[in-house]
Amino acid sequence: MALNHLATKCGISTNQLQQLLKGKVSASISSKLGVSANTLQAFINGQGCPALANKLGMSSIALKELRQTLDKQGAIGLLIGLLTPFATTES
């Protein structure tokens, strides 16, 4: 049930969220983030990516350093955080 709720907050299907948690990026997720699936996949797999750095408002070097401090699950968590709209916080 928690996955359903998180998927809804992210605007993706539960299946897409499950695939993301396994490290696989869908076209829908890349479309929502405005970054290619290959770029997001490269980030999950340990690379810093200029397009994602630009989306985050940071330099490629800063994103590469950030990615080096995260494990794979941390990188996936960052992407989930980007998918979750800030405006839907509940009190």
Side-chain angles (χ1 to χ4, degrees), residues 18-37:
Q18 289 171 330
Q19 290 301 307
L20 181 58
L21 291 171
K22 293 177 185 176
K24 297 176 182 156
V25 178
S26 71
S28 176
I29 289 172
S30 68
S31 176
K32 286 191 175 297
L33 293 178
V35 180
S36 77

Side-chain angles (χ1 to χ4, degrees), residues 1 10 12-13 24 28 30 32-34 60 73 75-76 89:
M1 192 66 93
C10 291
I12 59 176
S13 71
K24 297 176 182 156
S28 176
S30 68
K32 286 191 175 297
L33 293 178
S60 295
Q73 292 302 312
I76 292 167
T89 57

Side-chain angles (χ1 to χ4, degrees), residues 11 16-17 23 29 37 53 57 67 73 77 84 87 89:
Q16 289 169 330
L17 178 59
I29 289 172
R67 180 56 186 96
Q73 292 302 312
T84 307
T89 57

Side-chain angles (χ1 to χ4, degrees), residues 5-89:
H5 182 71
L6 181 57
T8 300
K9 284 190 159 247
C10 291
I12 59 176
S13 71
T14 302
N15 184 52
Q16 289 169 330
L17 178 59
Q18 289 171 330
Q19 290 301 307
L20 181 58
L21 291 171
K22 293 177 185 176
K24 297 176 182 156
V25 178
S26 71
S28 176
I29 289 172
S30 68
S31 176
K32 286 191 175 297
L33 293 178
V35 180
S36 77
N38 287 340
T39 295
L40 296 174
Q41 197 66 60
F43 179 72
I44 288 172
N45 292 334
Q47 299 173 18
C49 306
L52 185 55
N54 187 46
K55 179 77 174 172
L56 293 171
M58 59 180 17
S59 70
S60 295
I61 293 169
L63 180 61
K64 186 174 183 178
E65 289 174 0
L66 173 63
R67 180 56 186 96
Q68 289 172 347
T69 65
L70 300 173
D71 62 7
K72 185 175 183 175
Q73 292 302 312
I76 292 167
L78 178 71
L79 296 181
I80 290 171
L82 292 173
L83 285 167
T84 307
F86 298 152
T88 61
T89 57

